[in-house]
Amino acid sequence: MSEASPVGTNAIDRIRDNPFYVLGLRPDATRQAIERQGTKLLGMLELELKSATSYPTPVGRAARTPEKVRAAMAELREPSRRLEHEIWARLEPEAMPAAPRDVAPIDDEIAPRAGQAADPWPDAFVALGWRAGR
Amino acid sequence: MNGAIAGIIASILISRLGPKNKGPNKPNVPFTAAVWSILVPIGLVLFAGVLAGQVYLIPPLLLIIAVALPWTTTRLVLIPLGFPRVAYWLTRTAEVTFDGDLHGGAVLAGAWALLRRREPDEATAAWLDDRLRLAKPQTLGGAGILATGLLLAGRGDRDGARAVIRTVIDIDARACPEAARRLAAAWLAADAASRGAWREVAEIGIGFGSGRQAWLLSAVAQSLLGEPLAPGRLGLWLRWIVAPNRRGTLAIVRRALDVLDGAYLEIESSDAPPAGAAIVADDAWSTALARHAALLTKPIASVEQGDLLALGRAWDAILEDRAAERILAERALLIGADGSARALTRLRESVEGDLTALVLGRDVGLDDRGDAPSPTLERVRRRVRDSLLVGVESASDALRRRIDDKREIPAVDEWREWTALRIAYDHGTKLAGEDFRRLAFHKIHPDITSLAVWLFNERQQRPLGNAMFKWLLDEATALDDARAIALQTKNVACGV
Amino acid sequence: MSLRPLYVGIDLGTTNSTAAVFDGEKVTLVRNSAGATLTPSVVRIDARGGVTVGAKARRFLENDADNTRSEFKRLMGTAQSLDFKAAKTSKKPEELAAEVLKSLRADIKEHLGFVPSRAVISVPALFELPQSAATSEAARMAGFEKVELIQEPVASALAAGWSADEKAGSWLVYDLGGGTFDASLLETRDGLLRVVGHDGDNFLGGRDFDAALVDWVLQEVERTQGVTVSRANPKHAAGLRKLKLAVEEVKIELTRATEASLVLSGALEVDGVAVEIDLVVERSTLEAVTSALVERSIEVCKRLLAAHGLGPGQIGRVVLVGGPTVMPALRARVREALGAPFGAGLDPMTLVAQGASIYAATAGLDARAEATMEESGRRVWLQYPAMSSDLTPHVIGRLVDAGQNEGVKIRLSRNDGLWTSPDVALDEEGAFIVTLDLLPRRPNVFKIEARGANGKAIALSPSAFTIVQGMTIADPPLSRTVGVALADDGVRVYFARGAPLPAKRTFTHHTVESVARGSTECLLKIPIVQGELAQAHLCRLVGSLEIGGASVKASLPAGSAVEITLELDRGGHLSARALVPALGQIFEQVAHLLVPDASPDALDATVTAMRGRITELRADAMSRNAERTIGRLTYVECALLDAERETQAARGGDADAGQKARRTLLELDGMLEECEADKRWPELESRARRNLSEAGIWVGQYGSKSEQMLLEEAAQAVEKARAERNAVELQRQLRVVNNLYNACFQRHPDAWAWMFEDAASEADQATDMVRARTLVQSGRKALEKRDMDALRGIVQDLWKLLPVSAQKRRLGHDSGVR
Ligand SMILES: Nc1ncnc2c1ncn2[C@@H]1O[C@H](COP(=O)(O)OP(=O)(O)OP(=O)(O)O)[C@@H](O)[C@H]1O
Ligand SMILES: [Mg+2]
């Protein structure tokens, strides 16, 4: 349980791996459109086309794999499962570009003001003699 | 002359390392005194000789120093140079420093020296690990536990290392040398600092008792956190002077001083607005989803109680509303699904499952205060509690089976298993409160007591057993469980 | 060699196997050297090691049973080897299946003119992973480069749907084969076939019809001649086998004739006297003895329909598949019970093979060997569905060699000349996407042309491709849920039934046991199970990952995270790996398990144990007047009789019967467990009530304020748990209640004296009687002196000597993770 990771990695998959997002479709897509799009994406992935390898979701971009596409198609074929996925796909994929707060490594001595006072001290182990320096 | 000195030293070393007919862990203090009374005069003579320009006397002098002050030598020379095996052997003679757990101290020295190496060295790590687990009748004490932690850290398992090292303090002082305790505090402080957990750093090093380094870091942490009671400039400098590793700590002390100078004042933590605050969605569905998505992408540490409450209410607006069912039913008809009931059940299941995972991943519980309780959150709270209970219960059952089958594992591993169980227990208490605590305690009390008794009576691990008794006593007291208190008071009284 | 792709499908049946070829328009059945479309799945190996397959081998079943084997499909995935006495070898079931496949492959070669390298093979819907894996292995041994598996009912439906006219509707495929019965509900919509649900009975088929008739014959013999022939006696095995074959012939004859004669002399001997059989069997007799079996199959169908909210009469069409479905009585009964018309013009014996060949097209498994046509020109990678229900699918292409892509235009045209695509430019990756236009229900051949920036034609390889338009099914769905068994006997589902294959999934688990480095005793098991039940021990163990003390780099304490990844391919191969982040180590050694052997002794022991459980449960159910439970117990009892009969047959050397018994017993175990849970609950509830009221008295009298409050809270929680019927929670709360009770009870001055008397009265059960007696004596003395402290120590020592009724049954396949 590392403390920096976003919560519940499996929970986020519910939105990130939603079949509609995986296929790049909206919940009102017809059955045919779903099949057509799925087959097309599988082909594109097989040909290693870059445009197919990732897709936007409300929780950030995600990698597209043939397994995901196949699973998505199968899920949407069953009407009652589809109904459920429609609920979770209500948000526009780009609605909320998740901006991961990437903390740039800071160098204490040169630019102390770059970060906040309570930022981590990544070199602690070396500085305090627990590890050899680089 | 050199030959004679070497002979004396060799015989002293051999006599120390040789098999002892005394019980384990008992230092040979009178013997040490005797050794000193021989070595100190010789050392003085040699020193005088060196001063007089007799350079060839330097090696024997160094040798004498090493034998007379094994830990100091190890700490200042062998560990920085990264000589684990030599560090191990020399520390085997540091009876005064590691009074109570000499064997563990030796492994500790080795493990530390290994950490200082640039390249990982599996073979030596395994060798040191074997010192702890294969030497059968050896009693595991505080130093040995710290050594285990350092070996884990060396393997890159920092979480595991932290969990183990935090327990050093639980070992009775009679089996936990002061040095081990201080080093444990220093490591924990370093670890917390590197994670930016300054609050922890501040707490670890309160008072001089936890060692100079932890003491300094505690002061630094207080300054960084802007605490009113933080020591001032002078206090910081003073601590810096007395603490070791002055060169390494200079940077962080400077950072703390800058805080005192007000350098960071204007960069007040402008935290992102609470999740969903800016969400203006047209309908209940989108609101709930937007909040859900926002919370999932938030860094775990910044998820707050308010966020959860808002999200719970947003879902209530759907799950507790018949209109939602109607909307779904219409849509179901359109796409040929057999009704909306299944989808709605599964939606509820998913929502509660996600929220449960979210709460379980955090360190603060859901308390049931709040003006309008949310039915969704209510169910989530229950799930969190059940899931935490099942975790502790199944671990306790597995432990019970092992005790019944008399399947021994090395003391170090027994301790780690217990530590893991305790962490799960503490985590549960934190998240699910007193209710959890009581139910879990009644479950694990008999099992842990059996384990502790087994370690204490049959397996020469009295310090470990004692630590468990103490913990049980503390918990029993906190829960006001008269019977357990009576039992564990007696057990603790059995000593180590 | 054919210019168009050809697709091969094989039905590897228990009794008969069939191969079919699909060319995009029509399906042709492959005939064997004898000119038949059905090849009996029988293998004979003679003394010189010569292998004979099919009808020729079948003739030897009767007289050379030691060297001739049939029905080995039922043993696929088990460790059982089948002996061939004369050749002094033994073969695994998949090796024999491979022989059948080789023979079919040779027939296909005759038919097509080339050796097929890829094919689709059908398997029963309820096949488990080891069985599917064994089938793939058989195909590999037979020389196929690549095969995919398809479930038999899906194949049947695909074949039926291909030739049907209506576009939408539900189908019920009723497949009664030699040994298995499958019922599948399918739905077609927009040309896409979807499996809605499966059900079936792995042990119901033509052979059960034969067995029923055999039983009838034996009864007749007993009635008229007074001799008893027992199935359990290995001496009768050979005779019974002959009788069975004769009976099967009679059964088949009765499809056309209304009566048939059964004559068998000298085959059976009882106590040295030959049993003569000379009977006339009427069709009505056959119908009478098999009607129960037919009803069983109909029950399964109804259950399946009900599970999907359908009643009889709500399905569009029933497709009959399998030999027994030609029996007139059966057809009549099925039509009546399900109230739907049968698909017309479908051959029940070969439908599965036909469907398999059509599926080969969907899966793009061209039987022609790779790289048959070497064309010159720039290499273009094409991706398109070999079979498409969509009339306007996409084709995606990419020029992969290092050539000039700038300005290149692509154009596609259908070879009837009626459709041509617009010119498409290549994107920066050299790729293009074109939407095609298909003519329905036939193969569509497209030409692909490229022109450079200068307008000059560029040769491409390949320069044409074919897409068949028709009904498709996208991915063969998994037929049984696969997951990891947990320490609390739960199952973490990785792939639910119906999940598309191939599939891969990762979940994080936590260990519940420590693994000490270097200790050979420590072994953490991660069992992988397959089945639909929520309790792991009722599911089938199909593999197991192990993390042992000998292989870990460092000790792993309980509670450590383990990331488990399961991967399943279309051939039933399961791979699993466990990553332990704390160690940075990966464990991949999967112990692949076989279907466990079913030894008659073990089976008998289980039957006996179950009898005991039933008696106990029945007594309790009677006293509670629990009618549902009583009904269920009666059912279990009847089924147990069946299982016993099968066990007897297993003793007589019928391995398949043993498997059937094992299966039945597993199911019955699940039912009994449900009954036991039903029984436990009222017990637990009444215990809760009792404990609570006792605790109320003692805590009220001797408890502190806070203890009284605690009891109050616990009482409320107990009530809540009772209302929710939550046994786990109830037990938890009871621990609290009992603890309070004990604490307060012991405050009574005489408490230890009472407890002493209690323990002393049980002293004769102590593990160490001598010591127990001494303790009792010293206890009496302490009691006289009223030395309560001493007494207390004595009581506690006594307790240690008394047996613990700890339930140590290991559940959940001994899983070490949660
Ligand atoms: N005319 C008939 N009347 C009754 N039963 C028949 C008739 N013809 C064949 N059978 C029975 O059908 C069974 C074989 O059917 P089929 O060939 O469909 O099974 P299979 O495909 O080999 O088995 P499975 O599908 O279970 O693997 C045999 O038990 C045979 O006795
Ligand atoms: Mg069949």
Side-chain angles (χ1 to χ4, degrees):
Chain A
M1 227 183 289
S2 108
E3 282 156 63
S5 78
V7 256
T9 26
N10 283 341
I12 206 168
D13 290 347
R14 191 174 328 276
I15 294 177
R16 187 162 47 199
D17 291 352
N18 182 290
F20 289 103
Y21 295 139
V22 170
L23 296 177
L25 294 170
R26 297 306 298 144
D28 55 3
T30 64
R31 268 173 79 102
Q32 276 211 326
I34 291 170
E35 293 299 324
R36 192 176 297 158
Q37 176 77 357
T39 331
K40 175 174 136 189
L41 287 172
L42 284 175
M44 292 173 77
L45 287 170
E46 187 67 30
L47 295 188
E48 295 163 9
L49 300 186
K50 276 199 211 70
S51 49
T53 52
S54 73
Y55 58 93
T57 79
V59 291
R61 277 195 94 77
R64 187 185 275 132
T65 60
E67 283 90 28
K68 273 193 194 175
V69 175
R70 261 189 226 107
M73 290 166 76
E75 285 288 294
L76 296 186
R77 260 175 225 138
E78 204 190 317
S80 52
R81 311 270 309 170
R82 171 180 171 149
L83 183 62
E84 203 188 315
H85 292 304
E86 284 184 0
I87 300 172
W88 288 99
R90 272 175 176 247
L91 296 182
E92 291 292 328
E94 310 271 16
M96 225 185 315
R101 201 175 62 112
D102 38 349
V103 180
I106 47 160
D107 192 334
D108 303 82
E109 273 189 287
I110 299 168
R113 273 154 238 250
Q116 306 209 345
D119 274 345
W121 183 27
D123 290 337
F125 279 111
V126 175
L128 298 173
W130 289 105
R131 275 193 184 283
R134 258 139 263 159
Chain B
M1 168 102 182
N2 269 359
I5 294 168
I8 294 172
I9 290 169
S11 62
I12 290 170
L13 279 178
I14 288 164
S15 71
R16 280 189 184 184
L17 293 175
K20 303 229 169 71
N21 41 12
K22 308 176 47 187
N25 290 10
K26 293 285 170 312
N28 206 340
V29 178
F31 183 75
T32 308
V35 168
W36 268 56
S37 59
I38 303 174
L39 290 184
V40 171
I42 301 180
L44 286 175
V45 170
L46 289 176
F47 187 60
V50 171
L51 283 186
Q54 315 259 20
V55 186
Y56 65 93
L57 287 180
I58 291 180
L61 177 62
L62 290 179
L63 210 60
I64 292 263
I65 292 173
V67 172
L69 300 168
W71 174 241
T72 315
T73 313
T74 306
R75 169 112 201 224
L76 296 181
V77 181
L78 298 177
I79 288 173
L81 290 178
F83 291 142
R85 290 184 201 233
V86 190
Y88 170 82
W89 287 114
L90 188 60
T91 313
R92 287 281 301 259
T93 66
E95 282 154 341
V96 178
T97 316
F98 288 107
D99 179 12
D101 189 11
L102 178 58
H103 184 77
V107 183
L108 160 61
W112 191 356
L114 189 64
L115 267 183
R116 291 292 298 257
R117 285 237 181 124
R118 269 157 219 272
E119 282 95 48
D121 177 357
E122 289 273 343
T124 310
W127 182 82
L128 285 168
D129 199 27
D130 284 347
R131 296 310 103 202
L132 277 179
R133 61 186 62 233
L134 300 184
K136 248 282 163 74
Q138 285 295 348
T139 301
L140 186 64
I145 292 173
L146 175 56
T148 308
L150 292 186
L151 285 172
L152 286 172
R155 277 205 182 82
D157 181 6
R158 261 235 261 158
D159 295 337
R162 185 181 318 122
V164 171
I165 296 178
R166 275 183 184 158
T167 66
V168 170
I169 195 85
D170 300 330
I171 302 294
D172 191 277
R174 284 165 283 183
C176 184
E178 202 48 48
R181 210 169 267 235
R182 278 201 301 267
L183 286 172
W187 190 92
L188 288 172
D191 168 64
S194 74
R195 287 180 289 127
W198 293 107
R199 172 87 32 224
E200 270 177 64
V201 180
E203 276 156 22
I204 290 166
I206 291 175
F208 192 72
S210 40
R212 292 166 294 161
Q213 192 165 81
W215 191 48
L216 164 69
L217 287 179
S218 169
V220 167
Q222 286 175 27
S223 311
L224 291 181
L225 292 167
E227 288 192 358
L229 291 180
R233 301 184 67 87
L234 192 64
L236 271 174
W237 281 122
L238 183 80
R239 285 166 212 232
W240 178 72
I241 293 287
V242 297
N245 299 90
R246 274 175 292 275
R247 220 151 55 93
T249 50
L250 186 59
I252 200 72
V253 171
R254 284 245 185 91
R255 201 203 294 183
L257 290 170
D258 281 347
V259 173
L260 291 183
D261 291 344
Y264 287 92
L265 270 185
E266 59 273 39
I267 317 173
E268 244 311 296
S269 68
S270 60
D271 247 31
I279 296 161
V280 199
D282 43 350
D283 63 355
W285 294 88
S286 312
T287 312
L289 278 166
R291 280 190 194 282
H292 202 94
L295 209 54
L296 286 176
T297 43
K298 235 182 156 186
I300 192 156
S302 61
V303 174
E304 280 157 26
Q305 181 109 18
D307 299 342
L308 286 168
L309 197 64
L311 181 55
R313 297 234 172 89
W315 279 118
D316 286 342
I318 293 164
L319 297 173
E320 304 294 315
D321 183 9
R322 302 211 55 88
E325 206 176 332
R326 213 187 47 242
I327 295 173
L328 275 188
E330 275 165 20
R331 181 68 188 153
L333 207 62
L334 207 68
I335 60 172
D338 49 358
S340 58
R342 203 160 75 115
L344 206 59
T345 318
R346 293 185 50 121
L347 174 66
R348 173 167 296 147
E349 171 65 34
S350 320
V351 167
E352 288 172 13
D354 286 4
L355 286 179
T356 306
L358 218 107
V359 176
L360 283 176
R362 299 180 335 132
D363 247 6
V364 193
L366 275 176
D367 54 38
D368 29 15
R369 283 176 286 111
D371 3 281
S374 145
T376 303
L377 277 193
E378 206 50 51
R379 285 189 293 268
V380 168
R381 182 177 304 124
R382 182 58 182 248
R383 274 170 173 247
V384 167
R385 182 198 90 138
D386 285 355
S387 143
L388 290 164
L389 273 172
V390 167
V392 169
E393 285 166 354
S394 57
S396 191
D397 284 339
L399 177 64
R400 160 61 56 195
R401 275 205 300 274
R402 201 163 58 73
I403 299 171
D404 288 347
D405 299 353
K406 289 262 177 265
R407 274 183 288 135
E408 273 183 32
I409 53 176
V412 200
D413 296 322
E414 293 280 10
W415 184 251
R416 288 188 68 197
E417 180 162 324
W418 147 244
T419 304
L421 178 57
R422 210 185 100 181
I423 289 175
Y425 180 95
D426 288 343
H427 186 59
T429 305
K430 219 168 180 182
L431 257 61
E434 287 299 294
D435 178 30
F436 168 93
R437 194 176 188 183
R438 186 168 304 280
L439 293 173
F441 183 71
H442 287 309
K443 172 76 187 172
I444 70 172
H445 181 243
D447 298 341
I448 297 299
T449 308
S450 306
L451 173 64
V453 168
W454 189 26
L455 288 170
F456 195 95
N457 287 343
E458 289 170 43
R459 297 178 53 188
Q460 284 94 33
Q461 302 295 346
R462 295 169 66 107
L464 302 191
N466 171 267
M468 294 178 191
F469 292 143
K470 260 194 213 147
W471 183 85
L472 289 168
L473 177 58
D474 287 348
E475 276 304 301
T477 315
L479 289 168
D480 196 16
D481 182 334
R483 260 194 351 141
I485 294 176
L487 177 67
Q488 301 305 348
T489 311
K490 268 191 285 174
N491 283 342
V492 170
C494 294
V496 292
Chain C
M1 193 170 287
S2 158
L3 285 180
R4 266 202 273 156
L6 290 166
Y7 304 102
V8 169
I10 294 176
D11 171 10
L12 186 60
T14 314
T15 350
N16 298 303
S17 298
T18 314
V21 174
F22 177 57
D23 64 0
E25 252 169 310
K26 57 183 193 314
V27 179
T28 328
L29 293 168
V30 175
R31 295 191 179 273
N32 60 24
S33 51
T37 54
L38 298 183
T39 301
S41 309
V42 183
V43 176
R44 171 179 148 80
I45 303 181
D46 62 26
R48 274 168 292 121
V51 178
T52 327
V53 176
K56 256 197 276 168
R58 191 172 193 280
R59 264 176 250 133
F60 287 95
L61 260 188
E62 196 164 336
N63 295 316
D64 189 16
D66 284 345
N67 298 306
T68 315
R69 296 289 171 179
S70 63
E71 301 197 340
F72 35 79
K73 176 176 172 184
R74 324 253 321 136
L75 299 176
M76 291 288 256
T78 66
Q80 196 112 32
S81 287
L82 297 162
D83 290 335
F84 290 84
K85 292 250 168 69
K88 296 201 183 60
T89 62
S90 68
K91 297 271 179 198
K92 287 196 284 180
E94 53 263 43
E95 290 177 297
L96 298 178
E99 290 302 334
V100 175
L101 288 175
K102 265 186 217 162
S103 153
L104 292 173
R105 199 164 173 246
D107 297 337
I108 300 166
K109 177 178 182 253
E110 279 302 305
H111 181 98
L112 294 178
F114 64 90
V115 184
S117 58
R118 276 164 280 184
V120 165
I121 298 179
S122 65
V123 291
L126 295 178
F127 250 24
E128 285 159 345
L129 292 178
Q131 295 166 295
S132 297
T135 307
S136 297
E137 178 60 18
R140 200 191 55 75
M141 287 192 275
F144 284 102
E145 268 169 32
K146 190 170 177 212
V147 292
E148 280 193 20
L149 306 182
I150 186 171
Q151 286 124 20
E152 287 165 8
V154 179
S156 315
L158 204 53
W162 176 256
S163 53
D165 291 326
E166 62 261 66
K167 277 265 171 292
S170 332
W171 305 67
L172 185 92
V173 178
Y174 177 104
D175 180 350
L176 189 58
T180 47
F181 172 63
D182 286 320
S184 309
L185 189 61
L186 297 109
E187 179 204 67
T188 45
R189 253 195 179 203
D190 309 329
L192 196 79
L193 183 70
R194 182 169 76 88
V195 182
V196 180
H198 272 309
D199 206 335
D201 187 332
N202 239 349
F203 293 95
L204 176 63
R207 42 171 292 149
D208 295 288
F209 286 54
D210 301 341
L213 206 51
V214 166
D215 283 345
W216 176 80
V217 171
L218 294 181
Q219 265 172 29
E220 279 300 289
V221 167
E222 190 168 352
R223 193 170 60 84
T224 56
Q225 306 176 30
V227 284
T228 313
V229 182
S230 156
R231 288 221 277 165
N233 189 341
K235 276 197 208 130
H236 295 163
L240 280 172
R241 208 157 36 230
K242 282 183 192 157
L243 176 59
K244 213 199 98 186
L245 285 170
V247 154
E248 184 176 356
E249 272 166 29
V250 167
K251 175 187 76 175
I252 293 175
E253 208 179 320
L254 285 174
T255 300
R256 295 224 193 89
T258 48
E259 58 174 49
S261 60
L262 174 71
V263 184
L264 194 71
S265 63
L268 276 167
E269 246 182 43
V270 176
D271 303 331
V273 183
V275 180
E276 294 297 321
I277 298 174
D278 187 351
L279 291 165
V280 172
V281 188
E282 308 212 342
R283 191 191 270 175
S284 58
T285 310
L286 174 66
E287 288 171 9
V289 298
T290 57
S291 70
L293 295 170
V294 176
E295 287 312 312
R296 236 168 88 192
S297 73
I298 287 173
E299 275 315 305
V300 173
C301 295
K302 286 188 176 158
R303 191 167 70 199
L304 172 65
L305 293 180
H308 295 277
L310 292 173
Q314 278 180 277
I315 28 177
R317 208 160 279 276
V318 174
V319 177
L320 293 180
V321 184
T325 62
V326 300
M327 289 171 57
L330 184 144
R331 295 176 81 93
R333 179 71 190 109
V334 171
R335 188 194 299 268
E336 180 203 348
L338 300 179
F342 294 145
L346 304 173
D347 175 12
M349 301 302 283
T350 59
L351 202 61
V352 173
Q354 297 181 33
S357 68
I358 297 172
Y359 176 68
T362 306
L365 282 186
D366 189 349
R368 299 170 303 172
E370 198 92 56
T372 44
M373 296 155 284
E374 216 25 89
E375 290 180 63
S376 59
R378 287 191 66 183
R379 237 5 237 129
V380 54
W381 276 0
L382 288 177
Q383 281 292 319
Y384 55 89
M387 181 131 165
S388 166
S389 53
D390 186 357
L391 285 165
T392 55
H394 297 290
V395 58
I396 304 127
R398 184 171 183 187
L399 265 63
V400 276
D401 50 8
Q404 179 62 255
N405 287 343
E406 198 81 32
V408 174
K409 292 266 192 312
I410 298 283
R411 180 191 294 178
L412 295 169
S413 54
R414 203 166 63 205
N415 72 345
D416 61 357
L418 294 177
W419 177 86
T420 309
S421 77
D423 285 351
V424 211
L426 296 178
D427 69 8
E428 68 275 14
E429 290 181 277
F432 61 90
I433 299 179
V434 177
T435 310
L436 301 172
D437 188 83
L438 301 186
L439 293 174
R441 303 275 208 126
R442 73 189 58 180
N444 293 257
V445 180
F446 291 92
K447 254 201 346 257
I448 165 167
E449 296 161 320
R451 246 163 241 294
N454 50 8
K456 268 221 204 110
I458 303 172
L460 291 180
S461 160
S463 58
F465 61 96
T466 309
I467 298 182
V468 179
Q469 202 283 332
M471 188 162 80
T472 58
I473 175 153
D475 283 296
L478 182 63
S479 56
R480 282 163 184 257
T481 301
V482 173
V484 165
L486 307 178
D488 64 353
D489 201 30
V491 179
R492 168 67 126 157
V493 173
Y494 275 62
F495 313 116
R497 167 153 71 173
L501 297 182
K504 179 177 174 181
R505 236 166 153 193
T506 304
F507 281 116
T508 304
H509 293 255
H510 293 273
T511 60
V512 297
E513 281 167 39
S514 296
V515 182
R517 185 174 72 84
S519 154
T520 45
E521 259 186 34
C522 294
L523 186 65
L524 188 94
K525 285 194 193 142
I526 302 170
I528 302 158
V529 295
Q530 189 169 28
E532 309 308 318
L533 294 158
Q535 290 126 299
H537 76 280
L538 296 178
C539 296
R540 256 277 278 120
L541 192 61
V542 292
S544 172
L545 266 177
E546 291 179 351
I547 302 180
S551 54
V552 290
K553 280 199 229 145
S555 289
L556 192 67
S560 303
V562 184
E563 286 170 18
I564 300 173
T565 305
L566 295 190
E567 214 173 336
L568 253 185
D569 74 1
R570 291 183 178 183
H573 288 289
L574 171 76
S575 46
R577 48 189 222 121
L579 166 72
V580 184
L583 302 178
Q585 243 181 315
I586 291 175
F587 299 83
E588 302 193 273
Q589 244 61 31
V590 184
H592 272 288
L593 302 159
L594 295 161
V595 179
D597 276 349
S599 88
D601 290 338
L603 294 173
D604 270 340
T606 317
V607 170
T608 316
M610 282 197 181
R611 284 261 147 74
R613 285 161 73 189
I614 294 178
T615 316
E616 208 171 291
L617 284 167
R618 182 179 297 267
D620 169 77
M622 294 284 202
S623 71
R624 283 190 295 128
N625 224 345
E627 272 173 33
R628 214 168 64 98
T629 310
I630 295 174
R632 260 203 263 168
L633 288 174
T634 312
Y635 173 85
V636 173
E637 230 164 9
C638 292
L640 213 50
L641 284 178
D642 270 354
E644 219 164 16
R645 206 169 318 119
E646 298 297 338
T647 311
Q648 298 273 302
R651 264 190 213 292
D654 185 348
D656 180 41
Q659 286 297 340
K660 176 171 176 181
R662 189 184 64 79
R663 247 284 157 31
T664 312
L665 290 178
L666 199 63
E667 269 162 37
L668 297 183
D669 187 33
M671 287 190 160
L672 282 184
E673 232 152 75
E674 271 175 40
C675 294
E676 277 159 353
D678 281 354
K679 167 174 176 256
R680 267 196 301 271
W681 175 252
E683 278 173 7
L684 185 63
E685 229 188 346
S686 75
R687 203 176 79 219
R689 228 172 303 133
R690 210 173 44 238
N691 290 7
L692 208 52
S693 72
E694 281 173 9
I697 297 169
W698 290 98
V699 176
Q701 212 165 343
Y702 293 98
S704 66
K705 258 255 134 24
S706 69
E707 279 166 337
Q708 287 172 5
M709 244 158 65
L710 269 179
L711 186 68
E712 185 68 24
E713 270 170 34
Q716 276 169 14
V718 164
E719 265 326 301
K720 200 165 153 215
R722 268 174 67 187
E724 289 170 354
R725 247 185 113 93
N726 184 344
V728 177
E729 179 66 18
L730 190 52
Q731 259 154 345
R732 273 180 199 142
Q733 298 294 349
L734 277 187
R735 272 199 295 270
V736 177
V737 173
N738 290 344
N739 191 62
L740 287 168
Y741 164 81
N742 282 327
C744 296
F745 171 75
Q746 284 173 18
R747 287 181 201 148
H748 188 281
D750 286 338
W752 286 102
W754 296 334
M755 281 189 274
F756 170 72
E757 291 302 345
D758 209 35
S761 71
E762 285 176 23
D764 52 339
Q765 296 172 29
T767 44
D768 180 349
M769 295 266 276
V770 184
R771 191 165 140 62
R773 231 166 274 147
T774 337
L775 281 172
V776 170
Q777 274 165 16
S778 40
R780 298 236 177 279
K781 275 188 209 128
L783 200 53
E784 272 167 33
K785 283 188 269 169
R786 294 213 61 82
D787 179 354
M788 285 303 158
D789 272 348
L791 189 63
R792 180 173 166 172
I794 289 163
V795 172
Q796 278 166 349
D797 284 348
L798 253 179
W799 280 344
K800 279 186 205 139
L801 296 178
L802 293 177
V804 271
S805 56
Q807 188 202 16
K808 280 202 192 163
R809 189 146 81 106
R810 294 292 174 80
L811 293 172
H813 298 296
D814 240 357
S815 172
V817 293
R818 69 174 165 81

